[in-house]
């Protein structure tokens, strides 16, 4: 009886141990997926913010800063509300990577600032970011111990050849922009199609289009550069970009190698317009009586670019009665074009100035006798006004010989890209532009006096 309680205890202990041995399984740690650069940057920003925001300060507020004329970087930082000694510490930290004294007016950077909750005292800088190149930036962040830490960041860059397809909804240019085409690409395509199509009458909703162009993007999806338009297709009209041997610039050809550039574009506007008044007799909107309208009116938004329909020389760029701001250009083959009610002229446009086809020469306005923003467009042939819609001119030449063979090779390359849906090439990150190599990667500076 004296031994029994001890025996029972021993049996219970042994049973528990055996049971635990059966049930217990060692814990297996699963490997966590690697963090992306964006996730790492976000976590670092949160950590720096948490470490650099002592009690009594508000959460950091993003404050954009631009250096003003006659202002130093340090003075610009002071405008965020931080103390002079802290602004000096920030400048000293950033000077490890770049020449702070050479910064000019217009330089922009972002700051994160915390302010005292009681409203008294100086604000405190939690972080500062300045872009040093299209895909590079430097940051100054406050670490856990209050020190200011400098880092240079370079994003990975990808060079893409994009195949963009879509259906027209509204206008072609707006649709293409919504689909991701850069402004320069939409303008280039608009100029090309204007050689073959009346962009107001011929293009309809649900018409399919395809653009092929180069662009450069960062790993965060930000476009930092766009190349040339390589291919464009709309309503069966096709353009391939190709530069013949000896040519000063690339041109556009159809699938057979015929230069599709006409000597005269169908309209002087590339986008965002409609024909509000045709050539012929009409009731004048201001005078109220029937009168011959010796041009075409295009209703368009104020400031819409007006382009030269062909190469030529500016004859007039002046104020002219009811036409308001007036422009007249002389072209080959006895043709002249005129533009009325302009808001302003293009850069460098004056009498005697040579212009190229597709060059922006003016902007839509409502000057002179006008009821609203529009472009009055006239064409003369040998001194007589004619209907601009009836102008017909010859087209370019057809490639032959070695140029034709080279064009076919380039066409086949572009066709392969279209069939593959595009292509991309990743460029490894490099040293942030403008940084001092010896100290660019990472540096720390002591905290400001109040830290």
């Amino acid at each position: 009886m004296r031994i029994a309680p001890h025996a029972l205890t021993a049996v219970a202990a042994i049973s528990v141990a055996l049971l635990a041995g059966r049930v217990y399984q060692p814990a297996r740690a699963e490997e966590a997926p690697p963090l992306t650069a964006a996730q790492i940057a976000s976590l670092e920003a949160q950590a720096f913010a948490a470490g650099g925001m002592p009690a009594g300060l508000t959460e950091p507020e993003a404050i954009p800063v631009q250096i003003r004329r006659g202002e130093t970087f340090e003075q610009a930082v002071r405008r965020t509300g931080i103390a002079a000694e802290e602004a000096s510490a920030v400048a000293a930290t950033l000077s490890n990577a770049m020449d702070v004294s050479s910064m000019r007016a217009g330089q922009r950077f972002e700051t994160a600032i915390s302010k005292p909750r009681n409203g008294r005292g100086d604000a405190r800088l939690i972080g500062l970011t300045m872009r040093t190149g299209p895909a590079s930036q430097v940051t100054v962040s406050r670490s856990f111990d209050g020190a200011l830490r400098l880092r240079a960041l370079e994003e990975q860059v990808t060079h893409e050849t994009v195949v963009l397809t879509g259906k027209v909804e509204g206008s072609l240019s707006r649709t293409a922009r919504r689909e991701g085409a850069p402004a320069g690409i939409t303008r280039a395509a608009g100029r090309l199609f204007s050689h073959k199509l009346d962009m107001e009458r011929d293009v309809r909703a649900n018409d399919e289009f395809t653009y092929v162009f180069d662009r450069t993007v960062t790993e965060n999806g930000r476009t930092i550069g766009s190349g040339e338009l390589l291919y464009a297709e709309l309503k069966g009209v096709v353009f391939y970009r190709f530069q013949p041997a000896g040519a000063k610039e690339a041109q556009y050809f159809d699938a057979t190698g015929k230069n599709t550039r006409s000597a005269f574009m169908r309209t002087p506007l590339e986008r965002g317009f409609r024909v509000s008044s045709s050539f012929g007799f009409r009731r004048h909107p201001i005078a109220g009586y029937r009168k011959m309208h010796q041009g075409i009116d295009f209703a368009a938004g104020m400031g819409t670019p007006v382009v030269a329909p062909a190469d030529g020389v500016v004859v007039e760029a002046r104020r002219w009665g009811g036409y308001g701001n007036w422009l007249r250009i002389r072209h080959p083959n006895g043709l002249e074009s005129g533009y009325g009610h302009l808001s302003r002229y293009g850069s460098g446009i004056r009498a005697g100035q040579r212009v190229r086809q597709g060059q922006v020469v003016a902007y839509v306005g409502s000057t002179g006798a006008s009821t609203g923003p529009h472009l009055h467009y006239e064409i003369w042939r040998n001194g007589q006004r004619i209907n601009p819609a009836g102008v017909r001119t010859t087209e370019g030449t057809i490639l032959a010989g070695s140029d034709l063979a080279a064009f076919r090779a380039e066409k086949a390359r572009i066709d392969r890209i279209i069939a593959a849906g595009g292509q991309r090439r990743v460029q490894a990150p490099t040293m942030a532009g403008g940084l001092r190599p010896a100290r660019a990667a990472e540096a720390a500076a002591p905290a400001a006096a109040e830290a």
Side-chain angles (χ1 to χ4, degrees):
M1 293 298 292
R2 288 196 300 271
I3 298 173
H6 300 288
L8 290 174
T9 302
V11 170
I14 293 171
S15 299
V16 170
L18 291 174
L19 182 62
R22 291 194 193 98
V23 175
Y24 172 75
Q25 295 292 335
R28 295 182 180 179
E30 296 184 0
E31 287 192 18
L35 296 176
T36 65
Q39 290 172 327
I40 293 173
S42 176
L43 290 174
E44 286 182 345
Q46 294 176 28
F48 282 134
M53 186 183 67
L57 293 180
T58 62
E59 290 189 9
E61 175 188 358
I63 300 179
V65 181
Q66 182 175 6
I67 299 178
R68 297 170 179 171
R69 187 181 299 277
E71 188 178 50
T72 65
F73 168 76
E74 192 171 328
Q75 290 170 335
V77 175
R78 283 290 311 278
R79 286 194 280 109
T80 63
I82 67 175
E85 58 268 28
E86 181 156 339
S88 179
V90 173
T93 303
L94 194 59
S95 66
N96 286 302
M98 57 201 311
D99 186 358
V100 176
S101 63
S102 66
M103 291 184 186
R104 298 185 177 181
Q107 173 73 53
R108 299 173 183 269
F109 53 91
E110 297 285 335
T111 63
I113 303 295
S114 290
K115 299 178 181 179
R117 292 186 184 277
N118 58 14
R120 295 191 299 271
D122 295 314
R124 187 169 189 179
L125 184 133
I126 305 302
L128 180 148
T129 301
M130 178 179 295
R131 187 157 292 283
T132 57
S136 60
Q137 65 182 24
V138 291
T139 64
V140 176
S141 302
R142 192 173 296 284
S143 61
F144 300 104
D145 59 0
L148 296 173
R149 184 167 296 277
L150 173 69
R151 298 192 67 189
L153 305 174
E154 182 80 12
E155 294 182 81
Q156 181 174 277
V157 171
T158 301
H159 301 285
E160 300 179 337
T161 300
V162 180
V163 178
L164 186 151
T165 60
K167 292 185 178 181
V168 176
E169 297 179 13
S171 75
L172 174 63
S173 61
R174 284 197 296 270
T175 303
R177 290 298 303 276
R178 284 197 302 269
E179 295 293 332
I185 295 299
T186 61
R187 286 195 296 268
R191 283 195 294 270
L192 289 174
F193 291 133
S194 294
H195 290 286
K196 294 294 184 180
L197 303 170
D198 185 320
M199 301 303 288
E200 171 63 24
R201 294 185 175 91
D202 296 338
V203 181
R204 295 286 181 266
N206 293 321
D207 283 344
E208 294 186 359
F209 66 92
T210 300
Y211 295 163
V212 179
F213 56 92
D214 294 325
R215 73 177 177 188
T216 304
V217 298
T218 66
E219 56 190 302
N220 291 328
R222 184 170 50 86
T223 299
I224 60 175
S226 59
E228 301 293 339
L229 177 67
L230 302 178
Y231 174 91
E233 180 181 2
L234 175 68
K235 294 182 72 69
V237 177
V238 174
F239 299 97
Y240 288 88
R241 186 178 187 272
F242 174 69
Q243 185 167 351
K248 294 182 179 179
E249 59 184 21
Q251 303 168 21
Y252 289 88
F253 300 82
D254 65 15
T256 66
K258 182 178 181 181
N259 190 332
T260 55
R261 173 179 172 176
S262 62
F264 218 88
M265 294 169 62
R266 296 284 297 274
T267 62
L269 297 175
E270 300 172 355
R271 56 183 172 81
F273 67 89
R274 63 180 176 81
V275 175
S276 56
S277 186
S278 301
F279 186 91
F281 282 97
R282 64 165 187 175
R283 182 175 296 278
H284 195 278
I286 296 178
Y289 56 83
R290 284 181 60 80
K291 182 180 179 181
M292 181 64 179
H293 185 232
Q294 301 189 90
I296 294 179
D297 286 349
F298 297 101
M302 182 73 72
T304 300
V306 179
V307 300
D311 296 345
V313 178
V314 176
V315 179
E316 294 178 314
R318 63 184 179 90
R319 192 84 178 184
W320 188 24
Y323 287 95
N325 291 331
W326 168 257
L327 175 67
R328 184 161 62 99
I329 302 174
R330 179 174 295 129
H331 308 283
N333 302 320
L335 293 176
E336 293 185 354
S337 58
Y339 316 81
H341 310 302
L342 305 171
S343 60
R344 58 191 176 95
Y345 302 104
S347 177
I349 296 301
R350 60 185 182 279
Q353 179 69 36
R354 287 193 170 275
V355 296
R356 294 174 288 102
Q357 186 180 59
Q359 178 181 339
V360 175
V361 293
Y363 298 87
V364 171
S366 188
T367 56
S370 170
T371 58
H374 73 284
L375 174 69
H376 176 77
Y377 179 53
E378 297 185 357
I379 294 291
W380 286 267
R381 173 173 281 140
N382 298 324
Q384 298 294 321
R385 286 184 174 91
I386 62 173
N387 186 351
V391 175
R392 295 290 182 270
T393 58
T394 58
E395 296 182 352
T397 58
I398 300 177
L399 294 171
S402 60
D403 281 340
L404 180 58
F407 167 75
R408 286 172 175 168
E410 175 64 5
K411 174 182 177 298
R413 184 185 75 87
I414 295 174
D415 288 341
R416 287 194 298 270
I417 293 174
I418 295 174
Q423 66 180 19
R424 60 201 309 265
R425 177 174 59 85
V426 177
Q427 175 180 308
T430 58
M431 182 66 71
L435 297 183
R436 297 170 181 167
R439 309 168 76 179
E442 186 168 305
E450 69 174 66

